[in-house]
Amino acid sequence: MALIVEQYHPAFAVIVERYSNRFYAFCYRILWKREEAEEALQEAFLKLWTKAAQWDPRRKTRFTTWFFRVILHQCLDMKRKKRPLPSETIEQTAATGRNDEHAEQQRALYMALQKLPPNQMTAINLCFYEGLSNAEAADVMNIKVKALESLLMRGKASLRLKLGIES
Amino acid sequence: MTSKELQQNLSRYGSDLSRWPAKLRQQLEDALGSDASLQEILSREVQFEHRLRAIPLQAPSPGLAQRIILQAKQPSALNTKAVWFWPKTALAMSLLFALGFGLGFGVYQRSDRTSVKSEINLNDFLYESSGVSP
């Protein structure tokens, strides 16, 4: 990070190559559209390049926490500007080609994930998919740990309901 | 630990018990040995998470990382905000200037006309009303 603050481009390139797939997946699970996820990721990395000095190691914020926050803001900003996905687009994306009951349930789950309120989806994204601890995820979302856990519980409960799993 | 508490804790911390707080994990491990219903809830959660992980992800387009790296190299990347911000500011300033100029010119014209009119009135008063030609 110190090298990026000093505008050392090879250090930036290493970070992008190492983390772009991971952070792309995070963006995708919020925006559910490849082009938008790529655009959000690109903007976030450019912010990292141009505003790296804003990350203050003395504040004891880990780089990933800080950068997740940058990406999250970028994604939510983009989500606010765009129109919601029409349901037929969601169904097309969810189609897996299989027609058995399991595939049907996966389609329902995929659609349910896309329809989750953004804060619940973000909580699941950070804790479940990205493996952040509850405290780290709460820090990224700038909320209390209890509030994050409540988001996780509500989000997962509504997904279980879609799959017909008792809570 | 009751079934309800287990379900809540699974929602909070997930089915990977290494992510649980040590005290809760110990409680669960103690309870799991003697309660089959808790084992059932845990295995359902494992299946649920397996399905969540199986959700397909559209892969990024090829060369995404390279595009980002190259874009950062361009000089405009250092001031991306200014690229769109300045033309808008310049346009707003021009409009304000034009408006200001228009208003100023209008006021000047108006005051000029008034002074000519008052001058005529003065002439009327000085010469015509007294029957004297200027």
Side-chain angles (χ1 to χ4, degrees), chain A residues 36-98:
Chain A
E36 287 174 2
E38 288 185 353
E39 196 183 325
L41 183 72
Q42 200 156 326
E43 288 296 318
F45 268 121
L46 286 181
K47 271 189 186 156
L48 168 67
W49 177 240
T50 55
K51 293 176 180 174
Q54 283 180 5
W55 177 68
D56 186 357
R58 286 168 301 176
R59 279 183 172 177
K60 291 180 181 170
T61 309
R62 283 176 57 199
F63 163 71
T64 40
T65 310
W66 176 77
F67 194 51
F68 264 124
R69 211 177 284 159
V70 172
I71 293 185
L72 180 61
H73 279 223
Q74 198 64 46
C75 288
L76 294 180
D77 207 34
M78 195 167 273
K79 203 173 175 74
R80 248 176 258 129
K81 284 176 195 161
K82 74 164 189 176
R83 289 185 202 153
L85 284 176
S87 52
E88 64 266 30
T89 312
I90 295 175
E91 282 167 31
Q92 272 171 16
T93 323
T96 58
R98 286 170 64 184

Side-chain angles (χ1 to χ4, degrees), chain A residues 1 8 15-16 21 29 40 76 78 102 108 121 129-130 152:
Chain A
M1 260 316 270
Y8 184 60
I15 294 274
V16 174
N21 279 349
R29 288 193 193 99
L76 294 180
M78 195 167 273
H102 179 265
M121 187 58 224
Y129 287 108
E130 296 303 326
L152 285 171

Side-chain angles (χ1 to χ4, degrees), chain A residues 8-20 41-42 45-46 49, chain B residues 63-75 77:
Chain A
Y8 184 60
H9 193 264
F12 174 74
V14 168
I15 294 274
V16 174
E17 275 169 3
R18 192 174 295 169
Y19 294 109
S20 59
L41 183 72
Q42 200 156 326
F45 268 121
L46 286 181
W49 177 240
Chain B
L64 173 65
Q66 283 311 309
R67 286 203 303 278
I68 295 171
I69 292 166
L70 284 176
Q71 202 181 353
K73 252 186 177 173
Q74 289 168 4

Side-chain angles (χ1 to χ4, degrees), chain B residues 26-47:
Chain B
Q26 190 58 54
Q27 279 179 17
L28 176 62
E29 281 167 354
D30 292 344
L32 276 175
S34 56
D35 193 335
S37 68
L38 295 185
Q39 286 173 8
E40 169 64 25
I41 292 170
L42 181 59
S43 82
R44 266 205 317 248
E45 187 69 11
V46 170
Q47 281 178 8

